[in-house]
Amino acid sequence: MVVQTSRGSVAILELTGVHEEIIPSLVDALPRGMSAVVYVNDRCRLVRGDIFAELAGLNALVEYVEISKAIDWVNLGRRIDAGGHEALIVTTFQIEGVALWARGRKLPVLGVIHNPPLFLNSAACKSALADEGLRSIVLAPHVAARFNTLTQGAHMDAIGVVEPVFWGEGERGQPPAGAPKRVIVPGGVNFVARDFEGLLRALDHGRLSRLRQSGIELQIIGGGPDRAKLEDQVNANDLADVVCLLPLSETGRVPYSAYVAALREAWAIYPLLPLKWPPYRDYKITSAIPTAIGFGLPLVLDRWTASAYRVPALVTDGSIGAALDGLISLTPPERSALVDEIVTYGRSARNRNRTELGRLLSASRTVAMGIAE
């Protein structure tokens, strides 16, 4: 990948091998003319392949690095400290060891906090908030609100929101001619965090008939701890023509090449969030919503989720049956209007991201200049 000539650079680091999907949005949010050098735990590529090879328009130099031994952390820290970067963005900052390592760097740090209660429950992470050079990033406004509530607003000027809505320039999900209307359920198959059991209960004879007549197919594009159980239940109930699961690689995950290809040919996205499990509406995000925005895909949301995220969506009553019926009833003009609203929201979100990240980086530069003096 070619890096544009720039007035400065940042290092972006994903140590855990879990949150690499947010990196494109962080790069996209950098101030104009600033470049990024991205270091990613090689575990990401080994498990799911190279996500960055699937994306267009990413202005970054990406390097996969082995981070398995203590000496790997030491050597990587030295490289980053000597890289002449204006700042370091750590994409998973709520792990104690990562926070301690980042605080030892010789440049300002911006840490992405995915789970504020978990972050604040760690003494090492919480104490990092006192560092003058630290700025924090969260991934949705409701997460920022929760963080500020937990900290009584003490750090509200040092936190910014970057919504991970960028999946490459010009991405638009659209089914090929003659293909089913594929409604994607992204993320891992976990019966706690997504209501797959409720989904199967909602697929009664009448609704199955209407889904089939409408050409709608529910596509599961993740692995996860309950994937085999779900597959067994789908087969046992003769649902394989309506509930389809993408094949897994030998690592037990869906490779990024297949994951992104499925999104490019999707018709809509359904997060399938259980009402009895509130974290995704309270202090975390579901990746399904920014992914839909990144691919210009309609979302179907219950009212609780819609009120938390405030994104354009097909909003239905809380039951899974109501969501499926809403999708069945969605007309082509209604879908086109939703797509237009989602695309407009995505543009605005990217602009907001640039404003927020620019503000945080500007504050970091001011701190760095004060330290140098």
Side-chain angles (χ1 to χ4, degrees):
M1 298 181 186
V2 178
V3 180
Q4 296 175 356
T5 302
S6 67
R7 57 182 174 81
S9 69
V10 299
I12 301 177
L13 182 61
E14 170 50 43
L15 285 166
T16 64
V18 176
H19 294 125
E20 62 272 23
E21 291 180 12
I22 73 169
I23 292 173
S25 295
L26 293 168
V27 173
D28 182 61
L30 291 172
R32 186 177 300 276
M34 179 173 280
S35 63
V37 180
V38 179
Y39 299 96
V40 185
N41 191 331
D42 199 43
R43 177 179 176 274
C44 298
R45 181 170 55 180
L46 296 175
V47 171
R48 297 192 65 186
D50 184 3
I51 182 175
F52 306 104
E54 307 300 325
L55 309 181
L58 188 68
N59 179 42
L61 178 66
V62 179
E63 181 178 345
Y64 285 93
V65 294
E66 182 176 351
I67 310 173
S68 57
K69 303 183 290 292
I71 191 63
D72 297 331
W73 290 63
V74 172
N75 290 337
L76 183 58
R78 289 171 179 164
R79 286 184 64 186
I80 290 172
D81 288 344
H85 304 294
E86 293 193 15
L88 166 65
I89 302 176
V90 181
T91 59
T92 308
F93 198 67
Q94 64 213 27
I95 298 173
E96 194 161 286
V98 174
L100 289 169
W101 177 89
R103 294 178 72 186
R105 305 284 55 82
K106 297 178 181 178
L107 68 170
V109 173
L110 284 70
V112 180
I113 300 172
H114 299 261
N115 184 328
L118 180 65
F119 175 86
L120 294 169
N121 281 338
S122 163
C125 291
K126 188 174 181 179
S127 65
L129 294 174
D131 292 354
E132 192 178 6
L134 175 70
R135 296 294 181 271
S136 302
I137 297 170
V138 294
L139 303 178
H142 71 272
V143 183
R146 184 62 170 157
F147 182 90
N148 287 324
T149 297
L150 292 170
T151 58
Q152 298 181 310
H155 307 282
M156 63 181 180
D157 296 326
I159 189 170
V161 176
V162 174
E163 298 178 64
V165 299
F166 182 70
W167 278 80
E169 292 290 355
E171 288 293 356
R172 295 289 181 273
Q174 182 63 42
K181 300 174 182 175
R182 294 191 175 95
V183 177
I184 300 289
V185 180
V189 180
N190 180 323
F191 284 0
V192 173
R194 286 181 176 81
D195 196 3
F196 288 103
E197 293 174 304
L199 173 64
L200 297 181
R201 289 193 298 270
L203 295 176
D204 58 34
H205 177 75
R207 191 165 287 118
L208 277 171
S209 178
R210 294 195 298 276
L211 286 167
R212 287 170 174 141
Q213 290 172 5
S214 301
I216 292 176
E217 175 185 293
L218 300 165
Q219 190 171 58
I220 315 304
I221 62 171
D226 296 316
R227 161 81 184 222
K229 188 186 300 184
L230 175 63
E231 200 160 359
D232 288 344
Q233 292 178 6
V234 167
N235 292 331
N237 289 283
D238 198 23
L239 300 173
D241 65 320
V242 173
V243 181
C244 305
L245 294 88
L246 282 188
L248 302 178
S249 71
E250 63 274 7
T251 66
R253 304 288 294 277
V254 173
Y256 274 120
S257 56
Y259 191 88
V260 173
L263 289 163
R264 286 179 175 143
E265 296 186 353
W267 186 72
I269 283 186
Y270 182 27
L272 196 61
L273 304 181
L275 296 178
K276 62 185 178 182
W277 201 76
Y280 285 149
R281 304 174 181 93
D282 181 13
Y283 58 84
K284 298 172 67 176
I285 72 159
T286 169
S287 62
I289 290 174
T291 299
I293 295 165
F295 282 89
L297 288 167
L299 276 159
V300 57
L301 300 176
D302 62 82
R303 289 187 172 82
W304 182 9
T305 307
S307 69
Y309 288 84
R310 309 297 294 177
V311 299
L314 170 63
V315 180
T316 69
D317 290 348
S319 71
I320 293 174
L324 295 176
D325 292 344
L327 287 165
I328 291 168
S329 301
L330 187 65
T331 65
E334 290 170 337
R335 181 184 183 275
S336 294
L338 267 177
V339 168
D340 290 343
E341 290 180 39
I342 284 280
V343 170
T344 298
Y345 181 94
R347 291 196 197 102
S348 298
R350 290 173 67 185
N351 287 332
R352 289 193 299 272
N353 288 350
R354 293 176 187 122
T355 298
E356 284 284 80
L357 192 55
R359 173 178 65 84
L360 296 178
L361 287 168
S362 178
S364 295
R365 282 195 293 270
T366 300
V367 169
M369 289 171 62
I371 293 172
E373 292 173 359

